Amino acid sequence: MSLLNLLRFISLRHMRLQKAQTFMAVSGICLGVAAIVSIGIINNSILFSFEDSINKVTGKAVLQITGAQSGFPEELLEKVQGVTGVEYAVPIIDTHGILVGGKEESLMILGIDVLIDHQIRSYSLSEDNSDIPDPLLFLAKPDSILITNRFAEREKIKLEQKINIQTVQGIKTLKVRGLLNPEGPAKAMDGNIAIMDIYAAQMAFGKEGRIDRIDVSILKGETIESVKKRIEDALPKGYNVDTPEGRTKQVEILLSTFQRNINLISFIAVFVGMYLIYNAVSIAVVHRKKEIGILRAIGTKRGQIIRLFLSETLVIAVIGSSLGIGFGIFLAKSLVSVFGQVVSEIYMRTSVNEISISYDHLIKGFFAGIITSIIAAMFPAISSSRITPISAIRSVPFSEDGFFTKKKLGIASIFFVVCAVCLFLQYKLTENNSYFHSSLGVFVATLFILIGLSLATPAFLKAYLLFFRRFIASKMGSSGKLAGLNLQKNINRNAVAAAAVFYGISVFVSTAGFMYSAKMSVMRFIDNAVKAEILITSGHPLATTGSKNIPMPLDMLKEVEKIPGVLQADPFRKLYVSYNNRRTLLLNIDVARRLSYSSFMVVSGEEKNLSNILSNKDNVLINEGFALKNNIKPGDSIVLPTPNGQVSFGVAAIIVEYTSDIGSILMDIHTYQRYWKERLADTIAVRVKDKKNSEAVRKAIQDKFGNDRKLFVLLASEFKKEIRKIIDQVFVFNYMLNVITLTIASLGIIVTLLASVLERTREIGILRAIGMLKKQVSQVVVLESMLLGLAGGTLGCVAGIVNGWMTLDGFYRSDFGASAQYFIPYASIIWAIIISGLLSAIAGIYPARRAAKTNIVEALAYE
Amino acid sequence: MIELRNVSKIYLHGSSEVSALKDVSISIKKGEFLTIMGPSGSGKSTLLNLVGGLDQPSIGEIFIDDKPIHNISDDELTLIRRRSVGFIFQFFNLLPILTAVENVSLPLMLEGISFTKIKPKAKELLGKVGLEKRSEHRPEQLSGGEMQRVAIARALITNPAVLLADEPTGNLDSKTSEEILSLLKYLNGQGQTIVMVTHDLKASTYGTRIIKLKDGALSEDISIGGNGK
Ligand SMILES: Nc1ncnc2c1ncn2[C@@H]1O[C@H](COP(=O)(O)OP(=O)(O)OP(=O)(O)O)[C@@H](O)[C@H]1O
Ligand SMILES: [Mg+2]
């Protein structure tokens, strides 16, 4: 009851009066909650869209049999059909092509057996020819294709029209025999799906005699488990027999790194939000010191004061969290397609346009907002209760002796930094023990560095101001002197503002350093791996494993080599294989040829004679990520599923390899062909006899193949530019994070300065009374703000460099499987200093105007 | 009813000690209007703060209505402040965000009583101190004398055993001071025990008993008669 009284008469009024402070606190929570909610929803929507596509394409099938991406022999179909309990087992080609012309949309292409597929999936055509009982019979002719109504509308394609599709065998002209109603598979992938006869699809996509998947329905009375077991027994090892849900799980695993990275963003956003709450409540406590003293003097208990501040926070937290949910949904809506595109480009084909809200995430976000706010408010609330009732009586300004004394601060600061160092050392020293070697430890270490150094801001600010007053202020006239003095008077509080900038800048510098180093490492690797002058790909300029790449037949190599000026053409084929039930990238190159002009970046294991060890032998190279995740050393052997069963391969060496974040295995392409029986390449690397002729050779290649297929024939420099683009795309979330933290840092400065201006009302009044100009008053406040910003920015750069380096070591290595060297991002640091000075000067403008507007009479009249 | 036995107060100033009060024993009776005088720094405020439970003595015992207020927990001491004493300060110490009537009601609001229930009594008290027309004004809209009257009304709302005033006229002109002092005298006439610190010799004449402090020790204790029992 008494709490409600206080809340109603005191807190709510303060919230209304101190709009900036309330706004900061509310927006801090709002941003944090919005981050949790939007990222949760986006993650959910991406997974849901995968699940949805899988389910729609699955039809009545309860089990799906998959092998390597290259497909597996058709003969297995009969084996599966023979298993007891299997009702129907239908073969599927699951691949993609690109519509030539129009919007160049990528299409998921399903090759189906027209005679039995309707047992699993249902299709209906929009212009139904009732005399033809089964729409699939349209496909009997090999040049036929069915597309969806939606796709046809988008691309303005009519029934019976001929369309060109980019396939492995080049551009194929196909006739649209029917338009599918949005039903069953036709609803998947936002309509970007086309149906072909399986035989035609095999031919067009270089899969003669092979299929990608077998969809199985089971007889009544049989359980999925037992049929699954029987199928597994009937097949060679290495095949996946999985339920559609199981396949969704696989997708989840594939996306786990991606999801963890964006979850990290919500974590940091919450951390920053907590800081804002801490900041807002601390300022409120300082600002209301007198009020608290009075309340204590007339009989308010310590507990009542603490509860008052906590319930104020609760009110703000409820408002902020509610707004955060709304804002989060809005963010998710506007960003989901961007995220979907990135996932499509880098990982797997998907099309996400709609969000699927999970109430889980809403509730989680709401309570996370409230709980973290209360925790953040705890320290200042407790320190508020230490304000003595005597302080109400003394009208002299008080020395600051809050919860944290200087000594305690120093100890806490050193404690956190030492903890961070220990955590990081632990991480470095347990490199060979994957159980203790967790990037979580590194993440906590970076947090500790942030906390530790931010606790050192008062000490740093003090030294910084001494320096400023001695060497710089004297050259700046009275404003400079006054600003320096003012800041020195309230070191602890001003340190809070500097800390706001500190956080913003340190996150900025650490991500900049991380990104810069990652980019440099990848580019160095690319420079090493790509020695060719020209690269040929089809469908996607980088032939990523995403939705747009279309492999080319190996026979093209010889054709390319016939072009005058070409020295040699090397194949590169990459595809997913499953190792230990995890998708892993298998990279295949002609090792002997590659080694004739370039080497591998070997980390450990064999370095010499790799040509002999690998060429057409059962030996492979693995990258660091794969080695780390699976705890494999050179000399070990790994068992990979091939279309003809399990084969054991020796690991010759561990190399630096950045192609993917899921781990990779490098194999000689001849070995690959021997086991996988596939003759395709994703990239053809062309070396020319004379570099000066590169452009001419490129044109010759384009001319020779341009009519048959759409190719990207890129010079090495263009290829590298495309890679840079992709890297930037991966880091787009980090940029977003920077914007958020810098915004919040400015808010922090505004509010701290505002509080300090309000508190100095009387002092400013006196200065104005004795003849200080309005302009001078605002100058002093803006200058103070800038000084604080620069102090926080400088310290933030230090923390940012340390954290960037630790993050690089902790995450890049285990995620991308690469030891990357740290490069100090000098350019970004200069920017960070400029930004911190500028932003804080801008943030000082509003408080400065408030200060300049101080009414002299009022300021002096009421104490 | 108020009893100080051998009370000393020592402040620590870094490593050096300041004895603000040295072995002071006083007994204040119900209905007395005690004024405490003495040079600046002699320990007047310190003494008043100890009696009001704003601070704790370093040595010695203090009782209000036979209840000890030394060596008790902070919460117990807080309740003494809330229920047994009323404070009037030199700088008024009203909450600027509250109106006059809300400021007066504050001590009872801390007890959890709803404002609507307190309001009539608060208004009545404001009437008593001559501010019935100012009840909805905020402190910044009031003069110094008016603010001090609001503070007096706030101190009275809990019917405290004793009213403590630390230089209540220190910030007011002489005419307003006289009005405030008359008001205190009037309240004392109604049976209210009052302890007041003042520098002003004239102000001390309103009381029934004068105590003089010098360097933290009791130097004189003069009774001028009146209501003391
Ligand atoms: N919180 C404190 N910390 C340290 N010393 C204090 C504190 N409060 C008071 N003192 C010291 O105790 C002595 C008595 O102070 P006190 O405030 O009681 O004097 P006073 O008689 O009220 O003076 P004035 O007439 O100027 O108000 C002084 O020397 C003062 O410096
Ligand atoms: Mg005094």
Side-chain angles (χ1 to χ4, degrees), chain A residues 1-2 5 9-10 13-14 17 290-291 294-302 304 389-390 392-393 395, chain B residues 49 54-55 74-75 78-79 81-82 89 91 93 95 97-98 102 106 109-110 112-113 115 147 154:
Chain A
M1 266 310 270
S2 61
N5 276 338
F9 284 97
I10 296 179
R13 280 184 201 180
H14 276 299
L17 282 172
K290 178 107 186 167
E291 171 189 297
I294 297 172
L295 283 172
R296 292 279 288 133
I298 63 169
T300 312
K301 291 184 185 173
R302 274 203 180 127
Q304 279 177 305
I390 299 267
I393 300 159
S395 63
Chain B
N49 293 346
L54 286 172
D55 215 344
D74 187 76
D75 275 359
T78 304
L79 285 182
R81 287 202 298 273
R82 189 193 294 169
F89 306 100
F91 294 105
N93 283 328
L95 293 193
I97 51 168
L98 299 184
E102 287 164 354
L106 196 54
M109 286 207 245
L110 293 176
I113 305 170
F115 179 61
M147 280 195 265
R154 176 178 71 186

Side-chain angles (χ1 to χ4, degrees), chain A residues 394, chain B residues 11 13 18 20 39-46 167 199:
Chain A
R394 304 209 130 201
Chain B
Y11 287 112
H13 248 309
V18 179
S40 186
S42 56
K44 305 182 296 291
S45 299
T46 306
E167 302 191 35
H199 264 128

Side-chain angles (χ1 to χ4, degrees), chain A residues 181-302:
Chain A
N181 282 329
E183 190 178 301
K187 270 205 308 207
M189 306 306 301
D190 202 20
N192 284 23
I193 192 165
I195 313 288
M196 284 177 76
D197 177 57
I198 190 160
Y199 179 71
Q202 281 173 330
M203 290 299 144
F205 291 93
K207 301 198 181 231
E208 296 88 344
R210 279 172 296 135
I211 50 182
D212 288 321
R213 205 171 72 219
I214 302 174
D215 285 358
V216 177
S217 65
I218 58 174
L219 288 170
K220 273 210 177 108
E222 294 282 351
T223 66
I224 296 176
E225 270 316 300
S226 58
V227 178
K228 179 178 171 191
K229 181 95 199 4
R230 268 176 251 152
I231 295 174
E232 272 165 349
D233 290 344
L235 295 178
K237 276 221 163 73
Y239 282 89
N240 270 322
V241 184
D242 222 337
T243 56
E245 297 83 64
R247 286 187 65 205
T248 317
K249 265 268 145 44
Q250 290 273 315
V251 173
E252 259 172 64
I253 293 170
L254 177 73
L255 292 179
S256 61
T257 305
F258 170 79
Q259 301 208 317
R260 202 192 56 204
N261 281 345
I262 62 175
N263 277 330
L264 210 62
I265 296 177
S266 63
F267 190 90
I268 291 181
V270 168
F271 182 71
V272 171
M274 273 179 88
Y275 168 74
L276 271 190
I277 291 293
Y278 169 81
N279 196 348
V281 180
S282 304
I283 290 168
V285 167
V286 173
H287 188 63
R288 286 156 62 183
K289 207 159 195 165
K290 178 107 186 167
E291 171 189 297
I292 297 165
I294 297 172
L295 283 172
R296 292 279 288 133
I298 63 169
T300 312
K301 291 184 185 173
R302 274 203 180 127

Side-chain angles (χ1 to χ4, degrees), chain A residues 663-730:
Chain A
S664 50
I665 303 167
L666 190 134
M667 187 181 282
D668 184 52
I669 199 156
H670 300 102
T671 317
Y672 170 71
Q673 285 163 3
R674 194 149 46 82
Y675 287 110
W676 272 265
K677 313 268 191 259
E678 187 209 61
R679 293 182 52 77
L680 297 175
D682 297 300
T683 311
I684 298 173
V686 181
R687 297 179 64 218
V688 296
K689 285 181 185 138
D690 187 346
K691 278 192 183 160
K692 277 181 242 140
N693 294 336
S694 301
E695 190 56 55
V697 173
R698 182 220 326 238
K699 197 162 175 313
I701 296 172
Q702 199 55 280
D703 288 348
K704 178 156 186 179
F705 299 100
N707 290 330
D708 301 337
R709 50 177 80 238
K710 293 207 60 162
L711 293 181
F712 288 90
V713 186
L714 300 181
L715 295 177
S717 58
E718 295 165 333
F719 182 76
K720 287 171 190 171
K721 213 159 101 194
E722 292 291 330
I723 288 181
R724 274 198 202 102
K725 264 204 249 168
I726 282 270
I727 298 175
D728 284 340
Q729 220 170 47
V730 174

Side-chain angles (χ1 to χ4, degrees), chain A residues 440-637:
Chain A
L440 183 71
V442 175
F443 180 63
V444 175
T446 58
L447 274 189
F448 278 6
I449 289 279
L450 281 186
I451 297 172
L453 286 187
S454 69
L455 291 179
T457 27
F460 179 77
L461 191 60
K462 207 168 164 185
Y464 169 87
L465 286 175
L466 273 180
F467 175 84
F468 170 77
R469 289 189 55 202
R470 171 154 307 168
F471 297 106
I472 302 172
S474 52
K475 298 184 184 73
M476 298 182 69
S478 58
S479 303
K481 273 183 207 141
L482 210 56
L485 271 174
N486 280 341
L487 291 181
Q488 241 177 358
K489 254 189 324 204
N490 255 325
I491 291 273
N492 270 358
R493 170 134 38 93
N494 289 322
V496 175
V501 183
F502 164 84
Y503 282 119
I505 292 296
S506 63
V507 171
F508 176 81
V509 170
S510 70
T511 46
F514 176 76
M515 292 188 280
Y516 180 63
S517 308
K519 231 178 186 169
M520 289 288 277
S521 309
V522 172
M523 291 327 288
R524 257 190 358 182
F525 158 72
I526 295 287
D527 282 341
N528 180 62
V530 180
K531 286 273 165 43
E533 285 81 16
I534 297 170
L535 293 128
I536 309 174
T537 58
S538 168
H540 186 283
L542 290 183
T544 61
T545 44
S547 59
K548 285 203 150 164
N549 175 48
I550 309 242
M552 299 162 283
L554 270 186
D555 305 329
M556 260 180 74
L557 287 178
K558 294 215 175 60
E559 306 270 317
V560 172
E561 284 184 340
K562 274 187 214 148
I563 293 171
V566 171
L567 180 67
Q568 70 182 68
D570 292 343
F572 176 47
R573 169 73 172 139
K574 62 181 169 187
L575 71 167
Y576 287 117
V577 293
S578 137
Y579 178 77
N580 272 350
N581 273 328
R582 267 177 176 278
R583 298 240 282 181
T584 302
L585 208 56
L586 179 64
L587 311 170
N588 305 287
I589 60 169
D590 190 326
V591 172
R593 284 187 127 187
R594 154 85 184 258
L595 283 173
S596 70
Y597 62 90
S598 169
S599 59
F600 295 110
M601 294 157 88
V602 174
V603 178
S604 66
E606 294 283 346
E607 266 185 79
K608 294 191 192 96
N609 224 0
L610 279 176
S611 177
N612 276 338
I613 296 172
L614 294 172
S615 292
N616 210 1
K617 304 265 170 51
D618 291 356
N619 287 321
V620 294
L621 302 174
I622 61 174
N623 85 337
E624 291 163 283
F626 184 76
L628 205 69
K629 268 185 198 134
N630 301 293
N631 202 9
I632 297 169
K633 285 178 250 347
D636 294 354
S637 57

Side-chain angles (χ1 to χ4, degrees), chain A residues 250-483:
Chain A
Q250 290 273 315
V251 173
E252 259 172 64
I253 293 170
L254 177 73
L255 292 179
S256 61
T257 305
F258 170 79
Q259 301 208 317
R260 202 192 56 204
N261 281 345
I262 62 175
N263 277 330
L264 210 62
I265 296 177
S266 63
F267 190 90
I268 291 181
V270 168
F271 182 71
V272 171
M274 273 179 88
Y275 168 74
L276 271 190
I277 291 293
Y278 169 81
N279 196 348
V281 180
S282 304
I283 290 168
V285 167
V286 173
H287 188 63
R288 286 156 62 183
K289 207 159 195 165
K290 178 107 186 167
E291 171 189 297
I292 297 165
I294 297 172
L295 283 172
R296 292 279 288 133
I298 63 169
T300 312
K301 291 184 185 173
R302 274 203 180 127
Q304 279 177 305
I305 300 275
I306 296 180
R307 283 198 296 276
L308 179 66
F309 276 100
L310 291 186
S311 31
E312 264 175 43
T313 307
L314 187 68
V315 171
I316 287 181
V318 169
I319 299 173
S321 296
S322 311
L323 290 177
I325 287 180
F327 187 45
I329 294 175
F330 168 78
L331 272 184
K333 260 205 178 115
S334 24
L335 291 175
V336 72
S337 58
V338 178
F339 276 73
Q341 259 165 28
V342 173
V343 169
S344 247
E345 286 269 326
I346 303 170
Y347 297 93
M348 239 183 132
R349 173 180 51 205
T350 174
S351 85
V352 214
N353 295 312
E354 309 257 298
I355 55 169
S356 61
I357 293 177
S358 67
Y359 292 93
D360 251 29
H361 288 115
L362 300 191
I363 292 168
K364 213 164 89 187
F366 187 79
F367 283 103
I370 286 176
I371 292 167
T372 52
S373 307
I374 296 287
I375 293 173
M378 206 67 104
F379 279 112
I382 289 173
S383 84
S384 77
S385 74
R386 312 227 164 171
I387 292 169
T388 60
I390 299 267
S391 60
I393 300 159
R394 304 209 130 201
S395 63
V396 287
F398 266 80
S399 62
E400 291 209 33
D401 49 299
F403 183 69
F404 295 116
T405 60
K406 255 181 224 141
K407 204 166 153 202
K408 268 196 204 162
L409 270 182
I411 293 171
S413 163
I414 291 170
F415 171 79
F416 277 112
V417 172
V418 168
C419 279
V421 171
C422 289
L423 275 172
F424 192 66
L425 276 181
Q426 184 267 349
Y427 174 83
K428 289 298 269 182
L429 294 178
T430 55
E431 227 145 67
N432 296 322
N433 185 334
S434 55
Y435 186 72
F436 292 107
H437 189 73
S438 134
S439 47
L440 183 71
V442 175
F443 180 63
V444 175
T446 58
L447 274 189
F448 278 6
I449 289 279
L450 281 186
I451 297 172
L453 286 187
S454 69
L455 291 179
T457 27
F460 179 77
L461 191 60
K462 207 168 164 185
Y464 169 87
L465 286 175
L466 273 180
F467 175 84
F468 170 77
R469 289 189 55 202
R470 171 154 307 168
F471 297 106
I472 302 172
S474 52
K475 298 184 184 73
M476 298 182 69
S478 58
S479 303
K481 273 183 207 141
L482 210 56

